[in-house]
Amino acid sequence: MPSGAVDVASNRIDASTVKAMLSAGMRELTGCSQDADAWAQFISPVDVVGIKVNCSGAPEINSSPELVSAIVENLLHLGLPPQHIHIYDRFANQLRIVNYEAHVPAGVKTAAAETARNSILGYDPFTYVEANFFGEEDTRSNLFRLVSEQFTKIINVPTMKEHRAAGVTGCLKNIAYGSFSNVARSHRREKTNTYSFIGTLASVEPLRSRTVLNVMDGLRSLWQGGPFLQSPKFLFFPKQIV
């Protein structure tokens, strides 16, 4: 990581450095010499794009607005209308903490499956995974409705963090657990079914085929217990990945 990406003392991310990093990564990934050509390998101007962020540890750790903004900028340069770009996660209250709207142009949407008034209408009743782990009453996990009904492409932007049930989380867990309802039931106390369940959820269509690009946000990292651990001696953030 370039030394100027994160100012550790002030805990601030330099947006221009992040843009340069994203550009270099996309060019190296695709072999293209121009950013527009690199992004055109995955997205077309007629697509409706969902950007799957992770806000579960906000405000300490989440998909950085600076990185998400750089992704949005590249999509707009391809010719996508702002209203065809959706920044999404499961919970509205966590999205509000990060406030992506302040970092992207007007018209770009944020979307949550679950709000204070609604916990089920944001999910598709016809696309789900049925699994019984511990004899729980509700054994169904439904896919985010926008994924099945509106998005044609998805860009996955996970954070680099540890989870006590799943271990090191990344692309698969973010797109799987973050796009379905009722997933925490897969792990209870010392028993976890996350390893098999993550793969099962991530393989469900149309989530699998519409997820075309993964951009790992390693600007900050969290380890030892995950974002909701209460004991301070096990919680270390923010840190810079070197």
Side-chain angles (χ1 to χ4, degrees):
M1 175 185 291
S3 59
V6 180
D7 185 322
V8 177
S10 64
N11 189 23
R12 291 188 177 181
I13 295 172
D14 184 75
S16 61
T17 303
V18 170
K19 288 182 182 180
M21 292 167 63
L22 181 63
S23 173
M26 290 296 293
R27 294 183 187 205
E28 183 175 354
L29 174 65
T30 61
C32 296
S33 60
Q34 300 295 323
D35 287 353
D37 294 334
W39 284 93
Q41 300 292 311
F42 306 95
I43 307 294
S44 76
V46 298
D47 279 316
V48 177
V49 178
I51 301 175
K52 174 62 182 75
V53 294
N54 189 317
C55 302
S56 64
E60 286 79 15
I61 183 168
N62 47 260
S63 303
S64 306
E66 294 82 2
L67 176 57
V68 173
S69 174
I71 293 171
V72 169
E73 182 177 315
N74 280 281
L75 297 180
L76 294 174
H77 285 167
L78 280 181
L80 269 78
Q83 62 269 25
H84 283 195
I85 303 172
H86 301 249
I87 301 165
Y88 84 96
D89 206 358
R90 285 184 62 198
F91 302 110
N93 61 326
Q94 295 176 356
L95 278 167
R96 282 195 297 270
I97 293 173
V98 183
N99 190 23
Y100 290 105
E101 294 95 330
H103 300 267
V104 296
V108 175
K109 301 177 182 179
T110 57
E114 301 188 31
T115 67
R117 295 183 178 182
N118 162 47
S119 62
I120 60 172
L121 295 181
Y123 297 104
D124 183 350
F126 304 109
T127 307
Y128 57 87
V129 171
E130 189 88 42
N132 189 330
F133 297 114
F134 301 101
E136 61 269 23
E137 181 178 357
D138 186 355
T139 59
R140 185 170 292 183
S141 294
N142 294 76
L143 182 62
F144 198 117
R145 188 185 291 271
L146 289 178
V147 172
S148 61
E149 296 182 356
Q150 292 194 36
F151 300 158
T152 60
K153 300 287 178 59
I154 297 171
I155 299 171
N156 186 24
V157 188
T159 56
M160 188 172 290
K161 68 181 189 301
E162 191 265 353
H163 187 277
R164 281 178 289 178
V168 176
T169 71
C171 297
L172 277 178
K173 185 172 183 295
N174 188 54
I175 200 64
Y177 274 47
S179 297
F180 281 86
S181 66
N182 194 30
V183 292
R185 63 191 175 87
S186 65
H187 49 85
R188 182 179 298 175
R189 301 183 181 89
E190 74 281 356
K191 176 67 174 177
T192 178
N193 298 279
T194 53
Y195 303 128
S196 60
F197 201 36
I198 287 172
T200 299
L201 295 172
S203 67
V204 172
E205 291 291 356
L207 179 66
R208 178 177 179 172
S209 60
R210 293 179 184 173
T211 304
V212 296
L213 183 63
N214 298 288
V215 182
M216 170 64 76
D217 186 344
L219 294 169
R220 298 186 179 99
S221 66
L222 182 150
W223 63 95
Q224 278 299 94
F228 300 115
L229 190 67
Q230 297 302 310
S231 175
K233 69 179 180 179
F234 292 117
L235 195 56
F236 305 88
F237 54 83
K239 292 291 184 179
Q240 187 174 6
I241 300 295
V242 180

